[in-house]
Amino acid sequence: MTSEEKTIFKKIIDGEIPANVVFQDDLCLAFHDAFPQAPVHVLLIPKQEIENVDSLDDQHRDLAGHLLLTVPKVARLLGIEDSGYRVVANCGKDGGQSVDHLHLHILAGRPLTWPPG
Ligand code: AMP
């Protein structure tokens, strides 16, 4: 894959563009969103290239579980475990997905309204 074909998140994984990293391990990376929609807005992504939630299948069982289990770890690092937070995965056009690399938004720091727009 050429650098031009890489998603912005793959470039972050590969260290080609900077990110404000909160947490990482062998399988995933969490970093602050560049355009935060709440006082705390962190993205959690797998290091493996997976387009979105709809691309997940049985081969991703362990990774998907790991990603979800990493959310509370990141929440504790951010100090938002008591106040609460929202986890969002935008998927596809109507879901509002703009980067074609699976990611979980972790949003916190103010009461979040429901339903989303
Ligand atoms: P989505 O719209 O659900 O695909 O989310 C993509 C998110 O990536 C948006 O919230 C953007 O603000 C965020 N984003 C785009 N480029 C960067 C970047 N270079 N570093 C951090 N976050 C980014």
Side-chain angles (χ1 to χ4, degrees):
M1 180 179 277
T2 67
S3 187
E4 288 76 5
E5 291 169 327
K6 288 184 182 181
T7 67
I8 195 110
F9 292 171
K10 178 61 175 162
K11 289 179 183 175
I12 288 173
I13 292 164
D14 290 346
E16 294 173 9
I17 60 170
N20 187 356
V21 173
V22 175
F23 172 85
Q24 70 172 312
D25 62 18
D26 289 352
L27 298 177
C28 63
L29 178 66
F31 54 92
H32 289 276
D33 196 292
F35 306 97
Q37 301 301 311
V40 177
H41 188 172
V42 164
L43 301 170
L44 175 61
I45 68 173
K47 290 184 174 176
Q48 182 180 339
E49 286 184 281
I50 299 168
E51 185 173 350
N52 56 30
V53 169
D54 198 62
S55 306
L56 291 169
D57 60 31
D58 283 346
Q59 67 171 305
H60 303 117
R61 185 181 299 269
D62 288 349
L63 178 59
H66 181 79
L67 207 59
L68 205 53
L69 291 171
T70 301
V71 170
K73 290 183 186 173
V74 172
R76 275 150 189 74
L77 287 171
L78 295 167
I80 57 172
E81 71 274 24
D82 291 333
S83 52
Y85 52 90
R86 182 171 294 169
V87 182
V88 175
N90 296 327
C91 182
K93 184 168 65 68
D94 283 357
Q97 183 176 6
S98 63
V99 179
D100 291 335
H101 184 117
L102 177 63
H103 50 285
L104 299 179
H105 296 259
I106 301 172
L107 298 144
R110 63 171 169 81
L112 298 162
T113 57
W114 191 264

